[in-house]
Amino acid sequence: MENLRISLMLILITMGLCNVFAGKVNKHKPWIETSYHGVITENNDTVLLDPPLMALDKDAPVPFAGKRFAFKIHGEDAPFEAVVLNKTSGEGLLRASSPIDCELQKEYTFIIQAYDCGSRASGTNWKKSHKAVVHIQVNDVNEFAPTFREPMYKATVTEGKIYDSILQVEAVDEDCSPQYSQICNYEIVTPDIPFAIDRNGNIRNTEILSYDKEQQYKIMVTAYDCAQKKATDDVLVRIDVKPVCKPAWQGWNKRVEYEPGTGSKPLFPTMHLETCDGPVSSIRVTMELQTNHIGKGCDRETYSEKSLQKLCGASSGSTDLLPASSATTNWTATLQTDSGRDSDLIFKFDGRQAAKIPDRVVPKNLTDQFTIATWMKHGPSPGLRAEKETLLCNSDKTEMNRHHYAFYVHNCRLVFLLRRDFDQVDTFRPAEYHWKLEQICDKEWHYYVINVEFPVVTLYVDGVTYEPYLVTDDWPIHPSQIDMQLTVGACWQGGEVIKPQFTQYFRGSLAGLTIRPGKIESQKVISCLQACKEGLDINSLESLGQGIKFHFNPSQSTLVMEGDDIEYINQALRKVSYINSRQFPTPGIRRLKTSTTVQCYGEDTCISIPDIDAFVVVLQPSEPWITITGMDHFARPDREFESSEGLVLFPDIRIISTVTKTDLPPQGKARKRGGQEEIIHNLDYCDILVIGNELNPDQESLQLNRNELHGKHLDATNSTSGISVYGVDTMSNYEQVLRQVRYLNWHSAGIFGRRFRLTCSELNGRYTSNEFNLEVNVLHTSNSREHVNHMAVQPQYFQAIPHPMMRHNVNSAHSSAIPSAATVVIVVCISSLLLIVVLGIYRIRVARLHSCESGGGAKENQMDWDDSALTITVNPMENFEEPQQANEESEEEEEEEDELEEDDITSAESNDSDDEEAATMEGQRDGKRREQLEWNNSTLRY
């Protein structure tokens, strides 16, 4: 505004002057150039115009009209002014009216005009020139130094690499011209460092960096503009060196110990994934628990097939074709077993072994519904042309070679053959069912179940249903009277050959081969029978992060987890655990493999994550000590043995199990053993065996009311060797059943006692109890059997068994009516001898009683009467005692002798009554002693 005011004043003064000097007419207007270009340096006021500012007028030299009095600039924001230097020549000057700053405005454009003085001095009739355009450019001055955009720069590099550019620094200059505002050079001020910087500010390392040598570098950097003006302040650049980044899982332990009975154990509670700052878009993790070397593919219950079927609720009536070898199941004795498994009964077939199933075991009629189940591990068959490998075959025993039904493998295909008889069906019907599965030849354990509902046949492999890819038809078999032979491990060829033989041998391993006629198994039971008791688990599924997807295989040995967020994946994997629900798991190592696939944005795979190879160590469980206690010896009257209910053998039986406490020490320390602790677990069988001779079914038996088994997972078998109670159930239920076992003997007079042995088992004999021996004695009454003992027998007993020669003498004595003198002498002699005998016996008895009293501290069985040391001599004339008494005249002597004899016998009876009770407890030994006390009439001489 001040400049404008000054310009107006100059114009008014000039006009006034023009008015003074203008005296003539002003015919022409002033003339200037049409355009001007000028340059001005900032912080200066002089403008260099091209062409110079000059105004011309044709009215010269007319006063006033020919004089140029002023220049006028149009544009209020133009910081310039024009002044007249010579009014006659019209020369002018353009200059800045205020400081010019290039950084604020680099150029200006405005309009300029020239005015003359008019025709008179009053300035009337003045004229102006045309408008000319003026363009002014402002020249820059290098007044500013470069400055950096950031107060500090930092970066992180990995050791062992040469980088083209670690980071870029950037400086700016506030000058307006390219010459002074552009940064033409950067320089590292810090000496002796392995880094360099280019003109664009990119810093790189000139040698390989080592984390061990230097973990951080501090570098000072400066900048220059193109006029080589240096930055006022240098900038700090910090470069951190980190170890070589390897994309991998970190924070996991290779060994994970699992203590039996502790539930689930987290496998990797602190694990996280290092991606080395890769642009990850998705992650897929596969975790596999490898348990193929444990049992039949994993840690399963090792109970017997019958116990497992009872536990899983399977239909009764199945036949175990591969049982453990015993006296009654001896057809598997020649087969090779794998004893290295923990209580698993596995049979290995090498192509040279097979077994014939006895006819008494083979199901007679399979009907239209039946089930065949087995565990099988099988690999590819050797040779170019694989032969049939038969698992189970029912063929003609002789004459012909017809296969009635068979289960075999051929070229890694599973085939089931079922030929119906003409009396069952007489049309062309399905006969062969074929399945092609990878599991058949993968050398792994699988559980195969064939459910037959003719004509439909369904195959289950590890609980999954598979339909046959091929079914071929055939005619039924013609009826015949030829017996059939059921075999395992091969097929019997009994006809059409010179010598009957096995053929089509199986190569592989089998276990638990059963056949159940009349019923098929449900999928629920099949899943239960092959279920694994160990596997992977996820704790707290609800707490998994968003976007996490996971999937388990049926046996829970494989887990697949997917997600797009690394932290959510880390949290999810920390919740993965190992679990084993068995109370007594199989100890050993389970390998754990974790593989990871990482995808990046726009790429299939960007970084490679190494697999994790860890292992779970299942520690040895504390072995239980199963103890059976109760009354192990008692005697009962014979009437209890012969009663309809029989004698209860184990009325107070008690089964307990204890383990040794183990204190868990700190990591790396040995476990300490403590005291005993009672635990509760299941049993799978208890056997009651008869010790000695087997039971005679004609006079004795063991009995168990089957109602006692109702509501329990128990069953029982009974034979002359004893009773076996089996099934997976609690110790309490086993106690209840065993307390109901009774022994009956309806001819107990023939025995003096029985002995029994009771043993129980857990896990099919893996843990067995003590052998509990029970002895039961029979107390015989006098009505049941007479115990012959010369010291205890009544006088009438001796008289009841006279020798035949004695009877002849007695009859001849009665024929004499009057006794002779010789008779009297004989009677006196006999009486004397009899008196001597009685007195001798009495003295021996008294001596025996004294010896018994002196040995009162001895055992009870040592107080028995030792009759074997007693020798009795009897006068043959004793047989005439009774006849002679009828004719004897001296009756008083006879009465006295009889009284002495009677007193002596009474004393013997009193002492022998105690001996008889003790002798009853001795069983068979007592029977032998009685035989020694019998009268041996053959040694009597007359």
Side-chain angles (χ1 to χ4, degrees), residues 24-38:
K24 295 185 178 181
V25 178
N26 188 11
K27 295 183 178 181
H28 300 282
K29 58 183 180 180
W31 179 90
I32 59 176
E33 296 291 343
T34 57
S35 63
Y36 295 91
H37 292 274

Side-chain angles (χ1 to χ4, degrees), residues 184 279 300 365 369 591 611 868:
C184 288
R300 295 181 170 91
N365 186 9
Q369 287 188 346
R591 300 199 177 275
D611 294 343
S868 60

Side-chain angles (χ1 to χ4, degrees), residues 641-660:
F641 290 83
E642 298 178 359
S643 66
S644 59
E645 296 181 354
L647 180 68
V648 176
L649 293 180
F650 308 102
D652 59 346
I653 200 69
R654 182 83 170 91
I655 305 175
I656 62 172
S657 183
T658 57
V659 294
T660 302

Side-chain angles (χ1 to χ4, degrees), residues 584-597:
F584 305 105
T586 303
I589 293 176
R590 279 79 163 156
R591 300 199 177 275
L592 184 64
K593 182 178 182 180
T594 302
S595 57
T596 308
T597 303

Side-chain angles (χ1 to χ4, degrees), residues 366 370 372 388-396 401-409 413-420 431-435 450 452 457 477 484-492 503-504 513 515:
L366 293 182
F370 61 92
I372 297 176
K388 293 181 179 179
E389 298 180 54
T390 303
L391 285 75
L392 181 67
C393 180
N394 190 26
S395 59
D396 290 332
N401 189 29
R402 299 175 302 175
H403 295 183
H404 297 264
Y405 63 86
F407 190 26
Y408 61 90
V409 176
R413 290 168 173 81
L414 199 63
V415 183
F416 177 66
L417 170 68
L418 179 61
R419 300 283 302 278
R420 312 297 290 179
E432 279 190 347
Y433 302 81
H434 300 252
W435 292 271
I450 289 182
V452 178
V457 176
I477 294 179
M484 291 178 287
Q485 177 64 62
L486 183 63
T487 56
V488 174
C491 202
W492 180 252
T503 185
Q504 300 175 6
L513 178 58
I515 185 169

